[in-house]
Amino acid sequence: MTVTEPDRFNGIFSTPLNELLDKVETSMEQDLVPAEIFNSDEVFQAEMERIFTRVWVFVAHESEIPNAGDFVQRRIGLDPVIVTRDGKGGINVLSNYCRHRGTQVCQTDAGNSRFFTCPYHGWTYSNDGTLIGTPLMQRAYGEPLDPKLWSLKKAPKVESRNGFIFASLSEDVPPLEEWLGGGAGWMLDIITQLHPDGMRVAGPPDRYIVNGDWKTAGENFAGDVYHLPTLHNSIQEIDLIQGLQGTCEIAGTYEFDNGHTFVGHHWTEAIGPFFTYWGYGAVPGYAENFDVSGFDETAKWVAENQPPTVGTIFPNFSFIRIFSPLPGGRPGVFTSFRQWQPVAPGKIELWSWQFVWNFQDEESAQYDAVGGQFCFGSAGVYEQDDTVAWEGIPRAAASPWMRKEDMKFHYKQEGANTGVDQSPDPDWKGPGIHRNTGYGEHAQFNFLRQWLKHMKTEAPASNCPADKKKSTCEGEH
Ligand code: FES
Ligand code: FE
């Protein structure tokens, strides 16, 4: 017998958006979240408008476009954008919609070009977005079209930190440094600046469709430690890793402003003092190259003892670094950054980059990148476990039966008898909140509270800042 699984459901048991958001707010006070938010057309549309067009979103790493003319095609929410390095070295995030009729002017994932020619009628734009040519101009238009009016739209805000390029489709955002705050930016430094030369991508991203919601992936990487001993137990069974049962005991959460959240593991306590820096201390050729003299004392302690294993920079940019169990190979540590690109309610395209250190030679870098793919590539031993579990959630969220039952998901892990102190670490001197446990699902709530904050802020009539006249704003490109 074939059981038809609910894919999308917006029938008689759907809750109007504002009512649903109010319900989310009151449910969260009891550590519950209505299932419906993980698969709903209305929620998804509001997310695109209220979150993805209004906050900083990661688009590329500078090492992907090192030379003048380099470009990669990316997305901000549902919108295709081209991230380019122009002739002056500037970075541009261009809308990939031709201003004539909207055809995508760039049809390839990556390359090097001084201009983009639309395949439909041939309007041509320089790699900073300026309209520079219209075929048969004399006969068709009589005089050149004004580039001020007809160039490609550009993301109004583009900034980088440690090579990570973020863009915002709204001008009305705080500077990137403020958005990342003292927390996520500080953690990004700990992750990528152990060596002053920093990191680079090992290659283009893997991309694959997962029938899961972007929030599920985001909250998992924000700090779902609880799933490791069960969902990933098969990796223990084939002896690639051991000790997952104790993972919550040695974990610690880092909850920062603006919903950015990381969770680390106290490796030096669990394994031994030699296992510093994610285990890099146990692998020749790494830790002796690191220089953390510029880190503050807390950052040094985090890097050496309880470094972040996973993390999510709100809304959809995540990170993982762990000791890689490549069978038969030398020990290694891999670094992967990933992005949960929303495609539709309950559906994402997962983009995954392996990162390596700039000081590494090609052979060593490739070894670590392969270790990353082995764990978190499209066929990775961890990745497959996670994505199967995530795909169950939008099914539950779209179920007519569960909507009738008003199903809510459970986010509370504490009780009189747990004996685990989940309260914020009173001795913590770093930014945000640190807890000395992986229990509690506090990290996920830090992420979801930020989601709710944006969702409850209705979008303005346009993306023009409040102090700018709409007509002035629209005249710009
Ligand atoms: Fe691009 Fe016509 S749609 S030139
Ligand atoms: Fe997992």
Side-chain angles (χ1 to χ4, degrees):
M1 187 182 94
T2 304
V3 177
T4 307
E5 290 161 340
D7 186 24
R8 304 268 290 278
F9 179 81
N10 285 281
I12 50 173
F13 300 123
S14 294
T15 316
L17 181 65
N18 286 338
E19 200 179 306
L20 177 58
L21 294 174
D22 287 344
K23 189 158 67 169
V24 174
E25 191 164 31
T26 51
S27 301
M28 285 182 78
E29 285 163 14
Q30 298 156 33
D31 300 303
L32 300 169
V33 174
E36 192 174 338
I37 68 164
F38 293 97
N39 196 342
S40 153
D41 282 348
E42 255 195 307
V43 168
F44 184 80
Q45 283 165 16
E47 288 172 344
M48 295 308 103
E49 185 187 7
R50 298 178 188 185
I51 297 176
F52 284 89
T53 67
R54 302 179 69 196
V55 303
W56 289 100
V57 176
F58 170 78
V59 288
H61 190 264
E62 287 184 26
S63 61
E64 296 181 275
I65 49 168
N67 303 310
D70 286 350
F71 69 87
V72 288
Q73 197 183 160
R74 291 291 144 82
R75 292 176 48 184
I76 298 179
L78 294 176
D79 278 294
V81 294
I82 321 163
V83 185
T84 70
R85 175 88 66 177
D86 63 37
K88 294 184 185 140
I91 294 171
N92 309 271
V93 177
L94 310 174
S95 159
N96 194 9
Y97 297 128
C98 180
R99 296 298 310 283
H100 182 222
R101 286 290 193 287
T103 298
Q104 278 70 83
V105 300
C106 173
Q107 305 258 343
T108 59
D109 287 342
N112 183 288
S113 180
R114 285 189 293 126
F115 48 81
F116 299 98
T117 299
C118 177
Y120 198 173
H121 309 92
W123 283 27
T124 297
Y125 306 86
S126 71
N127 59 13
D128 69 0
T130 308
L131 179 69
I132 54 172
T134 46
L136 308 172
M137 189 268 290
Q138 277 297 344
R139 302 289 287 167
Y141 301 104
E143 56 192 29
L145 297 182
D146 185 351
K148 279 202 176 63
L149 296 176
W150 296 108
S151 292
L152 293 176
K153 295 277 185 187
K154 292 173 87 159
K157 297 280 183 178
V158 179
E159 290 181 27
S160 300
R161 176 150 182 156
N162 300 347
F164 293 85
I165 308 165
F166 291 78
S168 167
L169 299 183
S170 167
E171 279 198 60
D172 201 10
V173 287
L176 180 65
E177 285 304 301
E178 203 176 303
W179 167 250
L180 295 177
W186 178 79
M187 200 58 108
L188 211 49
D189 291 348
I190 293 174
I191 293 165
T192 64
Q193 300 301 301
L194 290 169
H195 188 280
D197 290 349
M199 303 192 83
R200 66 177 188 272
V201 294
D206 267 15
R207 292 159 51 179
Y208 32 103
I209 293 287
V210 178
N211 290 318
D213 190 82
W214 68 271
K215 298 186 291 301
T216 295
E219 66 154 65
N220 177 285
F221 272 72
D224 190 319
V225 193
Y226 185 48
H227 78 284
L228 289 169
T230 42
L231 187 63
H232 298 305
N233 187 45
S234 61
I235 303 167
Q236 290 192 127
E237 287 181 332
I238 57 173
D239 246 355
L240 283 175
I241 195 168
Q242 291 302 323
L244 289 179
Q245 285 82 355
T247 188
C248 280
E249 309 298 335
I250 60 162
T253 61
Y254 302 101
E255 300 153 43
F256 300 131
D257 287 349
N258 300 324
H260 314 311
T261 310
F262 293 76
V263 64
H265 285 89
H266 206 322
W267 300 119
T268 51
E269 180 181 275
I271 298 176
F274 66 97
F275 213 76
T276 52
Y277 303 119
W278 289 263
Y280 278 125
V283 187
Y286 291 86
E288 56 265 39
N289 288 305
F290 295 161
D291 177 7
V292 296
S293 56
F295 287 13
D296 63 53
E297 287 308 307
T298 311
K300 276 184 200 161
W301 180 85
V302 169
E304 287 170 7
N305 297 290
Q306 198 175 50
T309 310
V310 292
T312 294
I313 291 179
F314 190 88
N316 67 335
F317 189 48
S318 293
F319 146 85
I320 182 161
R321 175 182 287 160
I322 51 172
F323 205 70
S324 104
L326 259 186
R330 68 157 170 82
V333 179
F334 74 85
T335 304
S336 170
F337 280 86
R338 45 242 334 272
Q339 194 164 30
W340 326 108
Q341 302 284 14
V343 172
K347 187 180 288 249
I348 54 174
E349 189 170 79
L350 193 166
W351 293 47
S352 171
W353 293 258
Q354 302 304 333
F355 273 66
V356 294
W357 295 99
N358 279 321
F359 73 77
Q360 288 182 273
D361 62 36
E362 274 310 310
E363 190 183 341
S364 154
Q366 191 178 14
Y367 184 87
D368 288 352
V370 169
Q373 289 297 96
F374 176 76
C375 294
F376 282 94
S378 57
V381 291
Y382 286 88
E383 192 93 290
Q384 295 191 43
D385 295 339
D386 286 318
T387 51
V388 167
W390 297 348
E391 292 194 351
I393 293 157
R395 288 183 196 141
S399 152
W401 181 13
M402 293 307 119
R403 289 227 181 146
K404 188 171 160 63
E405 295 282 336
D406 193 20
M407 182 164 71
K408 297 187 177 70
F409 292 145
H410 187 282
Y411 283 81
K412 188 179 177 77
Q413 288 176 349
E414 62 182 11
N417 299 317
T418 71
V420 176
D421 182 3
Q422 296 182 14
S423 55
D425 176 358
D427 299 324
W428 177 244
K429 302 216 168 24
I433 291 173
H434 173 242
R435 295 175 213 266
N436 265 313
T437 177
Y439 293 112
E441 308 199 318
H442 302 281
Q444 292 93 320
F445 252 39
N446 193 44
F447 171 84
L448 287 169
R449 272 196 294 271
Q450 185 72 16
W451 174 86
L452 182 62
K453 181 177 156 192
H454 288 285
M455 291 293 280
K456 293 212 88 169
T457 307
E458 293 203 10
S462 81
N463 270 336
C464 293
D467 60 352
K468 221 169 186 183
K469 278 202 178 111
K470 191 160 182 277
S471 54
T472 320
C473 199
E474 286 181 344
E476 295 171 355
H477 61 271

